[in-house]
Amino acid sequence: MAKMRTVDAAVAILEKEGATEAFGLPGAAINPFYSAMRAHGGIRHTLARHVEGASHMADGYSRAADGNIGICIGTSGPAGTDMITGLYAAQADSIPMLCITGQAPVAKLHKEDFQAVDIESIAKPLTKFAMTILEPGQVPGAFQKAFQLMRSGRPGPVLLDLPIDVQMAEIEFDIDAYEPLPIEKPKASRKQLEKALDLLTAAKHPLIVAGGGIINAGASAQLVELAEILNVPVIPTLMGWGAIPDDHQLMAGMVGLQTSHRYGNETFLQSDFVIGIGNRWANRHTGGLDTYTAGRKFVHIDIEPTQIGRVFSPDLGIASDAGAALDGLLELARERQAAKTLPDYAGWVAECQERKGSLHRKTNFDNVPIKPQRVYQEMNKAFGRDTTYVSTIGLSQIAGAQMLHVFGARKWINAGQAGPLGWTAPAALGVVRGTPDATVVALSGDYDFQFMIEELAVGAQFNLPYIHVVVNNSYLGLIRQSQRGFNMEQNVSLAFENINSPETNGYGVDHIKVAEGLGVKAIRVEDPNDLPAAFDKAKALMGEFKVPVVVEVILEKITNISMGVEINGVNEFEELAESAADAPTAILTKA
């Protein structure tokens, strides 16, 4: 056995657990941990400009590829409290992430010492595990347990708080004798899955709702194969978007009040059976439950047993990892296919395809200032099938989900449930770290962009190139639209006459100057016909300088984006597509 500091043991454990990508800010109470990372050399660290930004970078890194666990590191006190929004975003979407904080010495924790905050108690409601480690000998076991919990069952974040004297203490530790703890995930039985498949095949108009748990399980290929064998259409949730490519003939559209397709909602309303796999029945997906559940039976498969029945009681609930359930369903489906006992759903699929080919929103507008729909149309043209989109909240995200196209798992990275403003830019940097060869395109409204705009400098410093499309209407657009019911537009305008930048024409903040001041490249577009050239230039600048490139698009100030309170009552504020020319990048036919 070797004697070493606890922090040296912890860093060795990080490497053995396969977590070697860290984001954070050093400080006095965490400097011993940083010294251990420096001595070890196997952990890459990206210096953020704000600890909340570091937490979103770690979150984005975790979401970027199967098996990733991003690490967020900060000092004592406000560093931990700054991480809370990041922990919430990760916990809400079932994302594994390890947060490590420094802390005052153990003997000072009850004395209101400088920056001594009870971060364990603060973080517990938003983590799977939060612990202030008071004994040096507990450090290896605490890290071991943290990794097991992050990966077991429903994934999620953890926080480990390290008092500085605990960091400096020496313990006996042998990394060769350390082994990760076994990962625990429930697995559906054959009998359970037989009952689920019996319910599906008894239906005339069945659907598969594919949730983010399928992507977390790395099981998108199994989903597609199952859908093809059964010939049953798939409705991805916002977090499951990409589990089946948008242009697959069985991709029937997204359902919901905001981030949905007209054809998806209409198809769902015609269904009589739904099997949800790895999904939560989120309220923006379901709308009113009476409308959502009327006339159809439900099977719900989820990795977390207490999630089943949380929103409504299904006809059959099964606690299982999505990948394990899909493997079992595939085995059964193949057996029934060979026995020729599967129903023929060709007519139902044809109905769904017909809706997918006709129920679209218009995107082909030539207005100046630019209508947002045109931006997404041009993004579809400019960016290919391998593009990874990153977004969080607002009219930009809602309209983007209605009109962009996603062609693979983890190609849509979205803080779906928490939706924290400012998440997009730092998360995109984490995604670039996690998938350095991918084309990453972020999408923000002007307010989301301004929230953590300083993190662009991180992309410049560490050469993390991506394209950030900023749709600027100088409004808190989603809030303005929601205030219509109160007959007001209160505290939602971001516009002002910028005395230093009259060229912004009253739109306020000069994003181009700010972005360039932070070391990145930036382009402003005011005419929709200039969008293709702007995106081409952005790609060229990104390739040449290896830094983020901002494409700011000046929008009309007021656009109401399609949404409602029931899936059968979504309000359409703009013209609908009457021909292919009205929506030239819409997916009208099967692949």
Side-chain angles (χ1 to χ4, degrees):
M1 298 284 282
K3 197 153 193 172
M4 64 180 71
R5 295 179 305 170
T6 63
V7 287
D8 296 307
V11 169
I13 290 169
L14 294 181
E15 183 181 48
K16 193 156 189 178
E17 292 278 3
T20 58
E21 199 75 49
F23 308 84
L25 281 79
I30 196 65
N31 274 339
F33 193 89
Y34 272 84
S35 73
M37 287 197 296
R38 180 182 177 86
H40 182 274
I43 311 297
R44 181 166 61 176
H45 180 271
T46 300
L47 177 67
R49 293 299 190 273
H50 191 296
V51 183
E52 182 185 338
S55 70
H56 297 327
M57 291 175 201
D59 182 2
Y61 176 81
S62 293
R63 296 177 194 243
D66 292 349
N68 280 6
I69 293 182
I71 307 165
C72 176
I73 307 173
T75 190
S76 57
T81 56
D82 284 344
M83 294 178 192
I84 292 301
T85 300
L87 287 168
Y88 169 38
Q91 185 266 349
D93 289 339
S94 306
I95 305 301
M97 178 175 74
L98 172 60
C99 286
I100 300 171
T101 52
Q103 181 58 278
V106 171
K108 301 287 188 179
L109 293 182
H110 68 295
K111 297 180 182 294
E112 296 186 351
D113 208 46
F114 178 67
Q115 293 188 338
V117 67
D118 184 2
I119 194 63
E120 175 186 320
S121 295
I122 295 170
K124 270 186 175 177
L126 298 171
T127 58
K128 294 189 73 176
F129 177 55
M131 179 182 182
T132 297
I133 304 174
L134 302 179
E135 296 294 337
Q138 288 186 298
V139 168
F143 275 83
Q144 191 178 35
K145 180 178 180 180
F147 278 102
Q148 181 190 40
L149 289 174
M150 278 188 284
R151 292 170 170 147
S152 293
R154 181 180 179 181
V158 302
L159 181 140
L160 296 177
D161 187 40
L162 300 173
I164 190 168
D165 52 337
V166 171
Q167 294 179 60
M168 297 293 288
E170 291 192 338
I171 59 172
E172 296 286 346
F173 181 73
D174 183 353
I175 189 61
D176 291 333
Y178 175 93
E179 292 295 338
L181 293 174
I183 308 306
E184 300 172 359
K185 293 183 179 180
K187 180 180 179 181
S189 70
R190 181 181 176 92
K191 185 175 182 179
Q192 288 175 313
L193 296 176
E194 283 177 338
K195 289 180 179 293
L197 198 55
D198 288 344
L199 285 168
L200 186 153
T201 54
K204 293 182 178 180
H205 298 148
L207 289 174
I208 300 170
V209 168
I214 292 173
I215 292 177
N216 282 349
S220 298
Q222 294 97 304
L223 167 73
V224 174
E225 185 179 354
L226 178 66
E228 289 174 345
I229 290 174
L230 298 175
N231 201 26
V232 169
V234 177
I235 298 283
T237 67
L238 184 66
M239 297 306 297
W241 195 14
I244 185 170
D246 272 8
D247 58 354
H248 194 286
Q249 64 176 345
L250 293 174
M251 198 293 201
M254 286 193 287
V255 170
L257 308 180
Q258 296 176 338
T259 53
S260 61
H261 303 109
R262 292 179 65 221
Y263 52 90
N265 281 351
E266 288 299 319
T267 285
F268 186 88
L269 291 167
Q270 298 301 315
S271 68
D272 60 359
F273 171 85
V274 177
I275 180 170
I277 305 175
N279 65 307
R280 293 188 302 108
W281 312 117
N283 65 299
R284 290 202 300 169
H285 166 79
T286 65
L289 294 177
D290 288 344
T291 301
Y292 189 83
T293 59
R296 53 192 63 87
K297 291 186 176 182
F298 288 86
V299 171
H300 189 197
I301 300 174
D302 195 86
I303 198 168
E304 171 52 49
T306 63
Q307 195 68 39
I308 296 168
R310 183 185 293 258
V311 178
F312 62 85
S313 295
D315 295 272
L316 175 64
I318 300 172
S320 178
D321 170 71
L326 285 166
D327 287 341
L329 286 168
L330 266 174
E331 182 180 350
L332 292 172
R334 291 188 193 111
E335 291 174 4
R336 298 189 187 190
Q337 182 185 46
K340 298 183 179 180
T341 59
L342 290 175
D344 181 1
Y345 290 118
W348 167 233
V349 170
E351 290 178 35
C352 297
Q353 286 181 328
E354 194 282 328
R355 283 186 284 269
K356 186 175 179 179
S358 59
L359 297 176
H360 290 278
R361 297 176 175 110
K362 182 175 178 178
T363 59
N364 200 22
F365 295 94
D366 291 323
N367 304 51
V368 177
I370 300 169
K371 291 187 79 66
Q373 293 88 343
R374 178 68 181 273
V375 182
Y376 308 114
Q377 174 180 304
E378 298 303 331
M379 289 173 70
N380 284 331
K381 291 180 181 178
F383 303 115
R385 295 180 63 86
D386 292 332
T387 301
T388 299
Y389 290 108
V390 183
S391 190
T392 182
I393 193 64
L395 289 184
S396 54
Q397 175 244 22
I398 293 168
Q402 291 177 6
M403 296 164 196
L404 291 175
H405 302 313
V406 175
F407 298 104
R410 301 191 187 275
K411 300 297 185 186
W412 173 257
I413 309 290
N414 185 203
Q417 185 182 354
L421 284 166
W423 183 89
T424 306
L429 295 170
V431 172
V432 174
R433 273 292 196 222
T435 52
D437 296 326
T439 298
V440 177
V441 178
L443 173 63
S444 290
D446 39 324
Y447 209 51
D448 173 49
F449 184 60
Q450 289 175 23
F451 249 58
M452 304 208 78
I453 197 170
E454 75 282 349
E455 303 305 327
L456 289 175
V458 178
Q461 179 178 354
F462 292 94
N463 296 117
L464 301 174
Y466 76 97
I467 293 173
H468 203 134
V469 180
V470 180
V471 284
N472 180 8
N473 64 353
S474 71
Y475 258 107
L476 300 180
L478 179 57
I479 307 306
R480 180 208 57 75
Q481 186 167 335
S482 71
Q483 288 183 353
R484 292 171 68 251
F486 298 95
N487 296 313
M488 68 177 186
E489 290 185 7
Q490 182 68 28
N491 301 108
V492 290
S493 176
L494 302 176
F496 62 91
E497 294 292 339
N498 191 327
I499 59 173
N500 297 312
S501 300
E503 63 271 24
T504 60
N505 296 315
Y507 272 63
V509 172
D510 189 334
H511 296 120
I512 303 302
K513 286 182 179 177
V514 176
E516 289 178 344
L518 291 166
V520 307
K521 294 294 184 179
I523 303 164
R524 179 178 289 128
V525 184
E526 297 179 289
D527 187 310
N529 296 311
D530 294 335
L531 283 166
F535 290 137
D536 286 343
K537 183 178 180 182
K539 286 185 265 188
L541 289 170
M542 186 174 64
E544 180 179 359
F545 295 101
K546 308 300 182 188
V547 299
V549 180
V550 175
V551 179
E552 180 191 40
V553 185
I554 304 301
L555 300 185
E556 62 183 11
K557 291 194 173 184
I558 295 177
T559 306
N560 292 314
I561 298 299
S562 305
M563 64 182 73
V565 296
E566 296 281 353
I567 59 172
N568 64 351
V570 172
N571 296 312
E572 301 293 344
F573 298 95
E574 299 287 341
E575 299 173 58
L576 298 174
E578 295 182 358
S579 68
D582 288 336
T585 62
I587 295 173
L588 303 177
T589 58
K590 67 179 182 179

